[in-house]
Each structure stands twice: as structure tokens, then as C-alpha cells.
Amino acid sequence: MERFFPCDRKMATDFLVHEKIWFDKFKYDDAERRYYEQMNGPVASPSCQQSTSTTSSGPGGDQSELISRIANLEVENQNLRNVVADLQLAIFKLESRLSTLEKSSTSHHPAATPPTQHVTPMKKVESPAATPKKVQLPSAPPAKKAGPSEADEEDDDIDLFGSDDEEEDQEAAKVREERLRQYAEKKSKKPGLIAKSSILLDVKPWDDETDMAKLEECVRSIQMDGLVWGASKLVPVGYGIKKLQIQCVVEDDKVGTDMLEEEITKFEDYVQSVDISAFNKI
């Protein structure tokens, strides 16, 4: 049995300490793999197979992401299908409505424009049927000539009836004349419409010392046929001066505005001027 001494063990450990082949083993493995790839092509290493298997299987997070994306795509696809179905239904409704409108327009078109029911059928009815009847009318047998005795009898009858008609016409004329005379008398007695006007006059004095009561008394003293005085009031003008505003009703045919102004301005001691403030027909 071979025995090792402590010196031999020390030498072995020193050799292993300086030996680096085990630490650089991956380099040698890579060099060997490249050599065989050059000789026989690439060879799938266990690490590659493991990476492919991990990628094929994938972690749970990647699978859940894919499942969620697929679910979203399915939802979008379903929404698109619903939209397409709604559009198809709307198009179908529009087509049906257009068809019904076209049918109704075609059905009402001849009734709205009746060119066939024109005057042409009336012409066709009149032209063939009426002409032979009109031609056949003169072919009727002529009436027998009346003798002189019959003519005399007809003249006598006409004369007799004519005398009665003349008497009746005279009586009717008398009645008509009597009624016209009564109507004319009644109309002449009926009073006609009288045109009247309402006038508002502004009578201005000379100054503030003018006696307005006396001025109003003078104005109201004017009396005419068709003139009626109304209410009055004093309206301040300025600087203590007041004007007399008086209303009257006149008949247009009897009293005129010019005549009324002339009569009022005759009172020169009190009246400076007369103006028409308002004029209304009644």
C-alpha cells in the first residue's frame, strides 16, 4: 500500500493552488463548442434548450398578459360586429322606406295629374252621335198649313188675352207708383246723419294781468246754430301767464273753424291768439 508523506501532500496542494484550468473551464467549453460548430454546424446546447423551453412555456405573467390582450381583442371584435349589425339594420329600414315612398308616389301620380280625363272623350261622344240626330231633325214631316179660318181664330184669341194683360199692367204700374211715392215721403221725413266735430281750442291772453274769467265769459258768449261749448280749464304757459283751453262741438255744415276763430279774436282786449289744439270727427 502506497503511503503519502506530508511533504508530498504539500507539493500536491501547491500544484493545485497554481493550477487554473478548473477556474477557466467555461472558456475551454466555449472553445470546444466553437470547434464542433465549425466542423458539424451549430449544436444546441443544454443552456439553449433550457432557454427555449422557458420561453416556450413562459412565466405566468406573460401568459396572463396574452390572455388579457386576447380577451380585449374579442371584446373589440364583438363591438364591431354589433356596430355592423346596427348599420345593416338601418340600411334595411331606409331601403324599405324608400320602396314604400316610391310605391305611394307611383300610385298617387296618375290621380294627381289626370291627363287622360280631359275633353277628348267628350269630343268623341259628340262628334259621331250628335251629327246624325241633327241631320235627321229636318227630315220630320212638315206640319199642315193652317187655313185662313184658323189664323183668324188665333189672332182673335191673342187680342182677347192682350187686353187682359194691358189692364193688369196698368194696375201694377199704379201700385208701383203709389209705393214709390210713399217711400219717397218716408225718406224725406227721416232725418239724415249730421256730421259733427269735437274741437279743443287754446285761447291765449296778452299778459298775466288779463282777467281769465272775463275772457272765458266772452268766449262762451258766442252763440251759433250748431255750436255747443264744453268743459274748460286754465293751463299755465310760463312767467305767470295762463291760457284758456276750452272744448266745443260743432256741426260741420253750419260752423267752420275759421268762423269760430274770427268770432273769438274779436275780443281784442282779452284775446291775443287762438289755436286749434285737437280736432276729432264724431
Side-chain angles (χ1 to χ4, degrees), residues 121-250:
M122 297 298 292
K123 290 180 180 178
K124 289 180 181 179
V125 172
E126 289 176 358
S127 57
T131 50
K133 290 182 179 179
K134 288 181 180 178
V135 173
Q136 290 176 3
L137 284 173
S139 64
K144 293 181 180 180
K145 293 182 179 180
S149 61
E150 293 178 359
D152 295 338
E153 290 177 359
E154 289 179 358
D155 294 335
D156 295 338
D157 294 337
I158 291 169
D159 292 334
L160 290 172
F161 287 114
S163 61
D164 295 338
D165 293 337
E166 288 177 359
E167 291 177 359
E168 291 179 359
D169 292 338
Q170 290 176 0
E171 291 178 359
K174 290 180 181 179
V175 172
R176 191 182 304 109
E177 290 176 358
E178 183 66 23
R179 288 181 180 176
L180 289 172
R181 186 180 60 79
Q182 292 176 0
Y183 178 74
E185 291 178 357
K186 187 176 181 181
K187 189 175 181 181
S188 62
K189 292 179 181 179
K190 185 177 180 180
L193 294 175
I194 300 172
K196 293 183 180 181
S197 301
S198 175
I199 304 173
L200 186 64
L201 299 172
D202 287 343
V203 183
K204 297 178 182 178
W206 288 103
D207 51 18
D208 58 343
E209 296 180 356
T210 303
D211 189 358
M212 298 303 294
K214 186 66 177 175
L215 187 146
E216 183 178 356
E217 184 180 352
C218 293
V219 171
R220 289 184 181 274
S221 65
I222 300 171
Q223 299 294 328
M224 296 181 186
D225 186 14
L227 173 63
V228 178
W229 293 106
S232 64
K233 65 178 179 179
L234 297 177
V235 180
V237 178
Y239 301 102
I241 301 172
K242 295 181 180 181
K243 65 179 180 180
L244 175 65
Q245 198 171 64
I246 187 168
Q247 189 175 9
C248 63
V249 177
V250 298

Side-chain angles (χ1 to χ4, degrees), residues 42-63:
V43 179
S45 62
S47 61
C48 292
Q49 292 178 357
Q50 185 178 2
S51 64
T52 54
S53 64
T54 54
T55 53
S56 63
S57 62
D62 295 337
Q63 289 181 358

